[in-house]
Amino acid sequence: MAQQPSPPRALPVEDAPVPKAIPVSPPPKAQPVLEDPTTRPAQPKTKGPDDDMFDFATLAYDRQEWGMAAQSYAKYLQQYPSGRQVPDALYRVGECYMKQNQLKQAAGYYEEVVNRYPASEGAPSSAYRLGAMTFNDSKFAESAKFFSFCEAKTKSAPVRLAAAYNKSRAYEKAGDKTKQAAALNSVIAVKTDNPYRETALLTLGSIYLGQDQKTEALPIFDELVKTSSDRAIIAEASIRAAVLYAELQKPEQSIAMFEKALRMPETSEQNRGISLVGIIQALYAKGDYDGVIDYYNKNSEVLPPGASRAKMLLLVGHAYRMRKSYARAVEVYLMIEQYHADTEEAFSAGYWKLYCFYLLNDKDLGEFATAFITRQAPKHPDHEYLSLARLIRADFYFNKGDYPQAAQSYNEVSIDKLPEKLRPGTLFNMAWAQDEAGRHQEAVGTFTRFISENPGHEFLPKAYARRGLANRDARDLPKAKADFEYVTKEFPKSDACELSWLQLGFIALEQKDPKATVTAFETLLKKFPTTTAAAQAYYGIGRGNFDQKIYDKAVPALRRAMEIDSKGYLEKSSQLIILCDYARQNADNLAKTIDTYLQSKPEGLVPPNILKWLGLKLYSSDDFKRAARFLELAVTPQNPENTEPVVWNYLGMAQLNNQQYDASIQATDNFLKSEPDSATRSRALLTKGRAQLGKGLFDEADKVAQDALQVVKDGKLQAELLILEGDIYAAQGDKLAAEGQRDAAVGKWKDGAAKYAVPSQFFDDPDVTPNALYKAAQVLEKAGDSAKSKQMLQQLQQRYPKYQPK
């Protein structure tokens, strides 16, 4: 606040200067405090010698011959110590010394007048002179006493006002605000012809203001604004009234007063700055943030004094922030930090700048927060802003999903130093981050604290559920289960209840309790039919029924899980459905399931033992194409030894039936590498020979057949090998005939007929024998031996009348 205007000069009687704070002479309007004998009305008695001596001194006094006058009055006092004019003579000697600037000598005479002749006409003026002298000597208590004497004794209204006003100044210097206020009130009481009244009002208002007596001070300043003719006083009073209105939460009146001062040329630059700050404070107080910003920008040339500049800028920054202009707010906060460093405003600006960066989701917020904390912690170790800055940093990492950093940052937050409304959310997020960061036991403890300290909080169901998750992650399944069950009973309609039923299903799965698994997941779907965890629930139901071997219920649930979330459950559900079909020994369903699975996931894997069973099952049903498909899925061509030999064997046979001769040969060769027993090896050679025959590799096929026949000397396998040899010769004959080599062809056909002879004539098997008879008849016919061919067909008809050639 600017200094109040200087009070008006109260008194100069003479032109001679008085070099102290209060003029020694009483005001010019005062009546003469002591009448000169020359002008005094005639005395009723006859003059005596003493009067002549007094008059002689007065002549010198009137001619301002101060030295001669002082000597003459002194002579009078010496010769007539009890004379009628003694009080006046004493006063005038004092005046003579005062005019010669011999104040100490003057004071002695004034004191004699006041002390010895208090009722004399010169006593009030003497007391005034003494009040001024002692004031100027910093003897303020004595000064107040003399001015009080003058005020009480003088008959002059102007002198009384001057004495009362200067008495107030003496009390002010003495530090006695109560007596100063009383003295000022006596001055203010005189409402006409009072040059001190406005200054007295301003001073009294300032006293009340300093004593926080706002309701007493405000009317005074209001009166000055309305009635004063001194524009400087109006400007000052406007400032002070504006401040009071602001403190009394009356922003409209405050703004009006500040604006009045701001418009007046008489307002000092310092007070103009104060007015601008006051207007901005008032606008901010009433929530007019746009007004704050507009007023600041329109008056940018006005510079508030000292620390108030930083305070004003802080409010402007806050206004931008409240208007969500966070980038502009940051600019203002940075200005405060740059130009008003090491102030409390800079500290506050630093925090709010950090808060704006948080709202702007600045990617470097973590580093900014750490820098602020490091810089300010030594100066403000326990300040709320430090805790809030740590919280901002923690929330930043939490929102980024960087839970290890978030957990560490939350641990550095002093929860008890945060505003009470932020504590529950901070505890909850801290516990969440701790659990996600793998600090499960800490999370359990923090969630427990949250539950204990916030029994009615809206997050309570979630806190129990999240503590259950933390307990589950910490492998304390009984406590986790207890938390989830508590939520389902106490908060059945909460989102946390949905999570809890889901987790109860997971725990039952983990504890290998399939009935509880099914119950939990079915309850979840019943109570929360639109749950986003439906796929998980259906899978859990399917798994629980699978574990109970209730396959008919397991499969539909597993298929539903895939329908809802193919990406998440194609693999897991398909594998279980495959196991269900395998367990039920349903080859057709199993084949369809595997096909569907592999169509959706070509790189998918099916257990080899299941593929083997399915392939063999299909082979036994003469479904060679599908048998080969699934057997091929079961083999490992790059490492044949890793495949069961039987799979290679059946794959070779299936591919032979599919006329995939190369594949058949390769599979059979892989089987033969397993070094099977001689009988099994010979049958495999039969397969290989037939595949080679199919490719037209007659010599190779014949060699394979001969190799097998070296071992097999009887039985069905021998018959089949002989038929193979017959087929080889028959095929060779067909080829020669096609090439025009009829004779050579006939020879081969006859060789073939010879090979068919043994199984057709000396072996009886419902499959092999009729086949040999039929083939023998065919080659004999080709060789031109129709009679023998007919004979063979007759035998076939007689022995195997139902035979149909393949």
Side-chain angles (χ1 to χ4, degrees), residues 484-501:
F484 295 131
E485 287 177 341
Y486 183 83
V487 173
T488 62
K489 292 174 184 175
E490 299 298 325
F491 309 102
K493 295 183 179 180
S494 67
D495 293 342
C497 181
E498 180 181 347
L499 171 67
S500 296
W501 279 117

Side-chain angles (χ1 to χ4, degrees), residues 4-8 161 165 168 184-206 217 219-238 240:
Q4 64 186 48
S6 301
L161 279 172
Y165 177 74
S168 76
L184 289 168
N185 275 315
S186 69
V187 175
I188 293 167
V190 180
K191 297 187 177 181
T192 58
D193 296 326
N194 185 352
Y196 306 103
R197 190 169 189 275
E198 292 183 358
T199 303
L201 280 168
L202 193 60
T203 304
L204 183 60
S206 299
I220 293 174
F221 294 128
D222 269 339
E223 181 181 347
L224 283 169
V225 171
K226 293 174 184 175
T227 63
S228 177
S229 59
D230 188 329
R231 291 180 62 81
I233 288 179
I234 294 173
E236 182 68 25
S238 298
R240 300 195 183 197

Side-chain angles (χ1 to χ4, degrees), residues 407-626:
Q408 181 61 39
S409 296
Y410 279 123
N411 282 351
E412 295 176 15
V413 175
S414 298
I415 302 292
D416 296 337
K417 287 186 169 52
L418 292 176
E420 192 169 342
K421 66 179 181 179
L422 296 180
R423 295 175 191 174
T426 301
L427 274 174
F428 187 84
N429 287 349
M430 178 191 295
W432 189 304
Q434 288 168 338
D435 189 34
E436 294 294 332
R439 298 159 70 162
H440 308 306
Q441 291 295 352
E442 290 180 50
V444 170
T446 306
F447 276 125
T448 300
R449 178 181 173 185
F450 174 89
I451 291 167
S452 174
E453 294 180 3
N454 304 278
H457 198 277
E458 61 177 319
F459 286 176
L460 197 61
K462 292 181 181 178
Y464 275 106
R466 287 296 309 191
R467 187 174 71 175
L469 287 174
N471 275 316
R472 183 184 170 204
D473 292 336
R475 311 310 305 146
D476 193 339
L477 297 184
K479 287 185 179 178
K481 185 177 179 182
D483 277 334
F484 295 131
E485 287 177 341
Y486 183 83
V487 173
T488 62
K489 292 174 184 175
E490 299 298 325
F491 309 102
K493 295 183 179 180
S494 67
D495 293 342
C497 181
E498 180 181 347
L499 171 67
S500 296
W501 279 117
L502 180 66
Q503 292 300 319
L504 285 170
F506 289 155
I507 290 173
L509 266 175
E510 199 167 348
Q511 292 180 328
K512 302 187 184 308
D513 186 344
K515 288 185 179 179
T517 300
V518 172
T519 299
F521 287 126
E522 285 182 343
T523 304
L524 170 63
L525 292 171
K526 181 179 179 181
K527 290 183 176 292
F528 301 94
T530 60
T531 178
T532 57
Q536 293 170 296
Y538 278 112
Y539 176 79
I541 293 168
R543 180 58 189 262
N545 282 311
F546 173 82
D547 290 341
Q548 296 178 78
K549 296 182 171 46
I550 308 175
Y551 304 121
D552 289 344
K553 290 185 177 180
V555 170
L558 293 168
R559 292 196 187 282
R560 183 66 181 134
M562 285 194 294
E563 289 173 7
I564 296 170
D565 183 4
S566 174
K567 184 178 180 181
Y569 287 93
L570 172 66
E571 179 65 25
K572 293 195 292 185
S573 290
S574 295
Q575 293 294 343
L576 281 182
I577 295 171
I578 288 169
L579 291 173
C580 288
D581 289 336
Y582 176 61
R584 292 185 293 183
Q585 300 286 288
N586 189 324
D588 283 338
N589 284 348
L590 178 57
K592 291 176 183 177
T593 298
I594 294 173
D595 281 338
T596 301
Y597 166 59
L598 294 177
Q599 284 172 7
S600 300
K601 188 177 180 180
E603 74 281 9
L605 299 174
V606 179
N609 64 310
I610 293 177
L611 292 169
K612 170 187 139 182
W613 177 86
L614 180 59
L616 269 57
K617 185 73 173 176
L618 292 171
Y619 184 90
S620 67
S621 302
D622 292 340
D623 190 345
F624 304 119
K625 187 169 288 189
R626 286 201 298 166

